[in-house]
């Protein structure tokens, strides 16, 4: 696939103006219309109960218009009484009616007002509460992970990083689809609805304070523009991007990505390996799935390992990172391990174990 020019990409992104907002996970998932409807039903029941009480004791009430109280008058009296309007055309005159007003009608009036006023106040304060939660979330969000795109690739990437001990509160999902963000927030992640090629959308995800950024968009040209924008906002973050076509991987690296995963080629190589050796394919897939079976991790060299060869360590060493070079475990240039080296090792996954910042899971290409 050939990518369009940068100017064409920018113009295309500018033409799609997407309304963006931040969605935080909600502990109680219930539609507001259902809450209001339930409270209105309770208020209606209170109104009916009040009218029936008045009608049952209609002999103790006096109507200034015709001196008698029927069922319609009872509902009229209940309405003006519970709403505290009180025109005074229908009044309790007997001791029993007044006693009922004191101990029954008045509590019902208070309950009626609590239901209606409480519902109104809740609706009015909903925006204020959400704004307070959003400001608090922004003030506490540091060193987090931003995931652009929550499709199959993005969801799998989130599951992998969370399997290493990353809290869901430290993950922010960015996607232009409100349904996708709803799914992300239902799983406990914060979400930002909007086009990630726009810098204002990434700023809402606090990209400038993120520790790592995962770009898993559906299109390669979108991934390029997102990478350029994210790198401009955050020079220190680790950016990992996925592309469909292998020929676009160098362009992603030039745009600022630290690592580029070619999803189509990686899946094809895994399929080919599984054809040649189903067991080898199964082992490689096990390595990819973090937190189960065997895991591939990156860790520093400990003091007890310094001065030894990679074969003399307790873990199974695959490669040695020395400076900017990645050396195979059997490379003669390694000699002996140094404290400044880092090791790529295969270890047995321990359920519930969390990796320290010095120990990181390895991405599989």
């Amino acid at each position: 696939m050939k990518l369009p020019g940068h100017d064409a990409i920018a113009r295309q992104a500018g033409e799609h103006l997407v309304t963006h907002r931040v969605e935080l996970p909600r502990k109680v998932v219930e539609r507001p219309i259902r809450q209001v409807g339930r409270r209105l039903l309770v208020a209606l029941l209170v109104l009916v109960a009040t009218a029936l009480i008045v009608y049952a004791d209609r002999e103790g009430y006096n109507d200034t218009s015709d001196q008698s109280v029927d069922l319609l008058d009872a509902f009229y009296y209940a309405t003006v009484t519970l709403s505290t309007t009180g025109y005074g055309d229908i009044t309790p005159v007997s001791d029993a009616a007044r006693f009922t007003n004191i101990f029954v009608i008045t509590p019902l009036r208070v309950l009626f007002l609590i239901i209606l006023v409480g519902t109104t106040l809740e609706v009015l304060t909903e925006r204020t509460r959400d704004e307070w939660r959003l400001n608090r979330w922004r003030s506490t969000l540091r060193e987090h992970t931003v995931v652009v795109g929550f499709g199959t690739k993005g969801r799998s990437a989130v599951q992998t990083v969370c399997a290493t001990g990353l809290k869901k509160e430290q993950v922010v999902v960015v996607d232009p689809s409100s349904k996708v963000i709803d799914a992300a927030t239902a799983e406990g992640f914060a979400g930002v609805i909007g086009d990630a090629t726009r810098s204002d959308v990434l700023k809402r995800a606090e990209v400038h304070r993120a520790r790592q950024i995962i770009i898993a968009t559906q299109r390669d040209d979108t991934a390029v523009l997102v990478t350029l924008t994210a790198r401009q906002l955050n020079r220190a973050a680790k950016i990992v991007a996925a592309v469909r076509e292998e020929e676009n991987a160098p362009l992603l690296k030039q745009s600022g990505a630290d690592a580029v995963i070619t999803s189509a080629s990686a899946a094809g190589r895994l399929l080919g390996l599984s054809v040649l050796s189903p067991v080898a394919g199964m082992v490689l897939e096990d390595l990819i799935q973090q937190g189960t079976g065997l895991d591939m991790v990156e860790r520093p060299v400990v003091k007890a390992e310094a001065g030894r060869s990679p074969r003399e360590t307790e873990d199974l060493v695959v490669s040695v990172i020395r400076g900017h070079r990645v050396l195979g475990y059997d490379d003669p240039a390694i000699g002996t391990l140094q404290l400044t080296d880092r090791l790529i090792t295969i270890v047995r996954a321990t359920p519930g174990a969390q990796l320290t910042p010095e120990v990181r899971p390895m991405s599989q290409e």
Side-chain angles (χ1 to χ4, degrees), residues 306-352:
R308 298 182 180 182
S309 67
R311 297 179 182 271
E312 295 176 332
T313 61
E314 295 183 0
D315 296 336
L316 179 58
V317 177
V318 178
S319 300
V320 177
I321 304 176
R322 180 168 293 170
H324 297 286
R325 295 186 300 166
V326 180
L327 306 174
Y329 71 95
D330 57 347
D331 195 322
I334 295 177
T336 59
L337 297 176
Q338 304 173 8
L339 287 175
T340 55
D341 293 339
R342 296 187 67 85
L343 303 179
I344 307 299
T345 65
I346 296 178
V347 298
R348 174 65 61 180
T350 303

Side-chain angles (χ1 to χ4, degrees), residues 270-315:
L270 183 58
L271 286 174
L273 179 61
S274 299
V275 169
L276 298 175
S277 174
V279 176
M282 181 178 62
V283 172
L284 183 57
E285 188 175 3
D286 181 28
L287 289 174
I288 296 176
Q289 294 179 355
Q290 196 71 24
T292 59
L294 299 175
D295 284 347
M296 184 174 292
V297 300
E298 176 186 341
R299 67 171 178 83
V301 173
V302 299
K303 291 183 179 180
E305 296 171 336
R308 298 182 180 182
S309 67
R311 297 179 182 271
E312 295 176 332
T313 61
E314 295 183 0
D315 296 336

Side-chain angles (χ1 to χ4, degrees), residues 3 48-49 57 77 105 109-110 160 238 252 288 314 336-337 361:
L3 292 176
V48 172
D57 192 25
Y77 176 79
I105 303 300
R109 181 189 298 118
V110 174
T160 299
K238 182 178 181 180
L252 262 294
I288 296 176
E314 295 183 0
T336 59
L337 297 176

